[in-house]
Amino acid sequence: MFERIAQWAYRRRWQALASWVLVLIAVTAAAQVVGASYRNDFSLPGTESQQALDHLQARAPVEAGATVQVVLAAPGGVEGQRPRVEPMLAQLGTLPHVVAVRSPYQTPGSISADGTIGYATVALDAPATDVPVEDVRRIIDTAQAVAADGLQVELGGDPVRGAEESEGGAAEGIGLLAALVILVLMFGSLLAASLPIIIAVFAVGSAIGLVALASHVATVADFTTPLMILVGLGVGIDYALLVFSRFRSELVGGAERAEAVRRALDTAGRTVFFAGLTVIIALLGLVVLGLGSLQGVAVAVAATVLVTMLAALTLLPALLAIFGNRIERSVRKRAARAGREAAGRDGAGWRRWSGAVQRRPVLAAVVPVVALVALSVPLADLRLGFADSGTDPAEATSRKAYDLLSAGFGPGFNGPLVIVVDGDDRATAAGQQAVTGVPGVAAVQPAGAGTILIFPDSAPQAEETSDLVKRLRDEVLPPVAASTGATFLVGGSTAAVVDFAGAVADRLPIFVAAVVGLSALLLLVVFRSVLIPVKAALLNLLSVAAAMGVVTLIFQEGLLGEQPGPVEAYVPVMIFAIVFGLSMDYEVFLLARMHEAWQKRPDPSAAITEGLATTGRVVTAAAAIMVVVFGAFLLSPDRMLRQFGLGLATAVLLDAVVIRCLLLPAIMQMLGKYAWWLPKPLARRLPEVALEHR
């Protein structure tokens, strides 16, 4: 199949290129005309926080919409600013999507004890994700227009945070530029170095357009596009590099250009195909979690990997046919100038490295395992949550509003708990009395029929607040429910985070088992070995754990100057799915060459050496490219993207340097010929799938 694809793409080069150009233009134009309909869906049917929200929406739909806090700070007192503030609040009430404005001068408890900080609440008619950004910005501009002469006006709430988010783009550009530099250094030719990047751009652009169109019929989160770019650029350059590197080595070996393309697709192309399948399997494993729009994100990123894989297998051969003459001259000229022996000096260096590892396999295995386990230790204290205004940049108006409200009303004011009572007024009064004075509760306030607000004395992201939610549910409210016959539901954003984190923890074992099991099964079929899939699964799990340990240290503990806070609740599962798949990429590519050598000559030590010598340079270059592409996202202002970038870059770095260069050859050496062992009854039942067919 791969040989036929190569021959078709090579012979029909212009047709293949035109097809991709038309696809890219068509889906991009359609996406521009129709637009995207991204929306977050973090609902968790059956959880207590979701039940509370459903009750609230049914009882008071207006109160279930998003709110914006207009925070006022005046050293001379908020009351003295009333002549300027009240006309502004009246103007806010006329803006689109605003259904009510509660003035601090008419709402008890809305001005701090010292009178210097107050807040107005602007109620909107829809959730934050459904309110257009331009309408939120009109609210911000209208409110801040009166800020002067001793009056500070800041705005907070989810709609404001969404309106403040930047479009990004710098991180992607920096990552591509760094990748181009590495490729030029590797190939010595700007044209050759550009081909993998062209493949990545075509694939990512097409996938983004397709997913934007699909967002009208499926739930796709608004952070999907940056993730698609992040993964698509990495694997796109990676896959194209693997195929192009094999093409280049075939040219150096003396093959004609057409034959080199055929061989590259029939060997490295097979590897790319099966490596891509492992990534897709890992991503689709997220579907078993059943976590709202996270499923849409998983499918979208999996689709990006699929399109990227197809581009590497069809567009790259066409480009090699079009530009192959210039590339071939460059490759042969360098080979002739340096000499065959010099051209293979990198292979000789990797052979020496492999020999050193194989002479002391136990030492080469134990030391890295201890280091990876040490990096994984912080993962034991991982605390999941969602970023709120407390982790926003200090210059953001949402962060300033958060800090002012904390200073004026206490840290728990920014994340109140909402108790929805399904019962009569007597039950509501009993519930309010029960929660008053509970350790961790700073204030209790009635908020309409059957609703109680609880303000914790700790910040929304603090562990103490999560503990308070559990204490209210497990200890404080059940006795009141039993005595009154009413139902008490603890909701609010903080309670929703507790439920989301609990749902992830409960379903994580099934998810990990599904991803690891399916990936191991694929390796079992491809390499016809029992021990290789087990080894791959364990090493990949170790690298993911170490990477998440680093993320926990930096983002949760505040290492290197990051604002301390919980790790985004969906980051660990997404990183696991992506990293586990990418780790399998290198596993398949490296083991394919080892298996190829083993099939020619059943000498386990020689197979290890040959596999590392022929792939070491490409794997490390591909990993370096991924590290700089992923690492560039550390420059993003978005905390979630920085966590993804750090986790993916760290995992790829550990995988390429520690796993592939040390642990894999060491363990393969210790296993010896048993690495390729397969029980005969199982061998008869497994289908024959070859990666090395020539």
Side-chain angles (χ1 to χ4, degrees):
M1 178 182 74
F2 295 94
E3 184 177 0
R4 290 196 296 271
I5 292 174
Q7 290 173 343
W8 174 84
Y10 193 87
R11 288 198 310 268
R12 309 273 187 173
R13 61 199 72 172
W14 293 109
Q15 181 179 340
L17 177 59
S19 299
W20 275 100
V21 171
L22 288 175
V23 167
L24 179 60
I25 292 175
V27 297
T28 302
Q32 290 291 328
V33 172
V34 177
S37 182
Y38 296 122
R39 56 195 182 278
N40 295 333
D41 176 17
F42 295 117
S43 61
L44 290 172
T47 60
E48 187 166 329
S49 59
Q50 185 64 44
Q51 291 174 19
L53 179 61
D54 293 341
H55 274 73
L56 192 60
Q57 288 176 330
R59 183 184 299 165
V62 171
E63 294 183 16
T67 59
V68 171
Q69 289 80 41
V70 180
V71 184
L72 313 168
V78 172
E79 183 66 38
Q81 301 292 335
R82 189 167 185 165
R84 296 164 59 192
V85 172
E86 285 193 326
M88 176 267 290
L89 296 178
Q91 188 177 356
L92 287 179
T94 65
L95 297 181
H97 295 283
V98 175
V99 294
V101 178
R102 292 192 286 272
S103 169
Y105 306 112
Q106 299 168 358
T107 307
S110 296
I111 298 178
S112 63
D114 63 3
T116 61
I117 298 174
Y119 69 92
T121 301
V122 179
L124 305 181
D125 61 2
T129 53
D130 294 339
V131 180
V133 169
E134 56 271 19
D135 291 332
V136 178
R137 286 179 178 151
R138 284 186 64 186
I139 294 174
I140 297 173
D141 294 340
T142 301
Q144 292 189 327
V146 300
D149 301 328
L151 175 64
Q152 180 183 359
V153 180
E154 307 294 347
L155 289 90
D158 289 338
V160 175
R161 295 189 70 223
E164 285 185 312
E165 291 177 355
S166 62
E167 295 295 326
E172 296 93 320
I174 293 171
L176 280 176
L177 181 61
L180 181 61
V181 171
I182 294 173
L183 288 168
V184 170
L185 293 175
M186 182 178 181
F187 295 126
S189 165
L190 182 60
L191 176 61
S194 300
L195 294 187
I197 293 180
I198 292 172
I199 297 298
V201 170
F202 264 90
V204 173
S206 301
I208 288 175
L210 290 172
V211 172
L213 295 174
S215 67
H216 290 275
V217 295
T219 301
V220 183
D222 57 8
F223 58 84
T224 302
T225 298
L227 270 184
M228 292 171 63
I229 296 173
L230 185 72
V231 176
L233 290 180
V235 300
I237 295 172
D238 202 24
Y239 292 167
L241 176 60
L242 298 184
V243 175
F244 182 79
S245 178
R246 186 63 184 248
F247 164 76
R248 185 170 173 270
S249 67
E250 295 292 345
L251 286 180
V252 172
E256 294 296 325
R257 191 190 338 145
E259 179 65 12
V261 172
R262 186 194 68 79
R263 290 181 182 178
L265 262 291
D266 211 26
T267 51
R270 291 169 183 265
T271 304
V272 165
F273 176 75
F274 286 104
L277 283 184
T278 60
V279 181
I280 293 171
I281 288 171
L283 286 164
L284 294 182
L286 284 170
V287 175
V288 305
L289 286 176
L291 297 176
S293 60
L294 200 57
Q295 295 174 318
V297 176
V299 173
V301 178
T304 304
V305 175
L306 177 62
V307 174
T308 300
M309 182 176 68
L310 293 175
L313 297 178
T314 57
L315 179 58
L316 182 57
L319 294 177
L320 290 176
I322 295 171
F323 301 109
N325 188 40
R326 292 174 57 187
I327 294 173
E328 183 179 5
R329 285 202 306 268
S330 174
V331 169
R332 296 193 188 282
K333 186 182 298 182
R334 293 187 69 198
R337 184 169 61 245
R340 285 289 171 83
E341 294 78 10
R345 63 184 179 273
D346 293 319
W350 284 104
R351 283 185 171 84
R352 289 192 296 271
W353 174 262
S354 179
V357 172
Q358 288 171 274
R359 283 193 295 273
R360 296 177 179 82
V362 176
L363 180 65
V366 171
V367 173
V369 167
V370 171
L372 291 175
V373 169
L375 287 176
S376 305
V377 168
L379 190 59
D381 296 324
L382 175 67
R383 187 161 51 86
L384 299 178
F386 287 111
D388 62 13
S389 299
T391 55
D392 286 348
E395 65 275 8
T397 187
S398 56
R399 172 64 181 275
K400 294 176 181 177
Y402 181 99
D403 292 340
L404 287 172
L405 290 173
S406 296
F409 303 95
F413 187 85
N414 286 287
L417 303 178
V418 181
I419 298 181
V420 179
V421 184
D422 188 5
D424 55 22
D425 292 343
R426 183 177 62 86
T428 302
Q432 183 173 339
Q433 182 179 1
V435 298
T436 301
V438 170
V441 174
V444 180
Q445 177 181 315
T451 306
I452 305 168
L453 289 181
I454 294 179
F455 296 95
D457 59 15
S458 53
Q461 295 187 3
E463 190 172 0
E464 294 81 1
T465 307
S466 299
D467 293 339
L468 175 61
V469 172
K470 297 172 185 175
R471 188 161 59 251
L472 291 173
R473 288 175 171 176
D474 299 339
E475 302 173 14
V476 177
L477 293 174
V480 185
S483 63
T484 61
T487 301
F488 293 84
L489 301 172
V490 180
S493 58
T494 303
V497 170
V498 172
D499 289 339
F500 192 95
V504 170
D506 292 342
R507 303 172 196 182
L508 192 59
I510 300 175
F511 165 61
V512 172
V515 171
V516 173
L518 290 173
S519 300
L521 181 61
L522 184 62
L523 289 181
L524 174 66
V525 172
V526 170
F527 293 112
R528 303 183 68 80
S529 164
V530 172
L531 296 179
I532 282 178
V534 174
K535 169 199 64 67
L538 292 176
L539 293 183
N540 289 350
L541 286 172
L542 191 57
S543 67
V544 172
M548 282 307 306
V550 172
V551 171
T552 304
L553 269 179
I554 291 179
F555 285 94
Q556 182 174 303
E557 305 303 327
L559 199 65
L560 303 181
E562 275 290 342
Q563 176 73 28
V567 174
E568 298 285 333
Y570 38 76
V571 163
V573 290
M574 286 296 298
I575 284 183
F576 175 82
I578 295 169
V579 167
F580 196 88
L582 294 180
S583 297
M584 285 294 185
D585 279 4
Y586 297 136
E587 181 83 12
V588 171
F589 186 64
L590 202 158
L591 284 176
R593 296 305 290 265
M594 289 186 184
H595 194 234
E596 185 177 346
W598 169 260
Q599 293 286 82
K600 293 177 181 177
R601 178 187 169 197
D603 181 343
S605 295
I608 295 168
T609 301
E610 186 63 23
L612 201 58
T614 52
T615 62
R617 183 169 180 259
V618 179
V619 166
T620 50
I625 290 170
M626 280 210 180
V627 168
V628 297
V629 170
F630 295 154
F633 280 77
L634 287 169
L635 303 175
S636 171
D638 188 283
R639 180 181 173 89
M640 180 266 293
L641 284 182
R642 293 202 304 277
Q643 291 181 9
F644 272 120
L646 176 65
L648 293 175
T650 303
V652 170
L653 179 64
L654 292 175
D655 190 83
V657 175
V658 180
I659 304 290
R660 305 304 150 205
C661 296
L662 282 171
L663 280 172
L664 189 145
I667 293 175
M668 291 292 287
Q669 178 66 26
M670 288 189 285
L671 292 176
K673 64 180 182 180
Y674 296 105
W676 308 104
W677 172 73
L678 183 69
K680 290 183 179 179
L682 185 58
R684 288 193 295 269
R685 288 175 172 79
L686 284 179
E688 292 277 353
V689 179
L691 289 180
E692 311 86 17
H693 180 67
R694 296 292 294 267

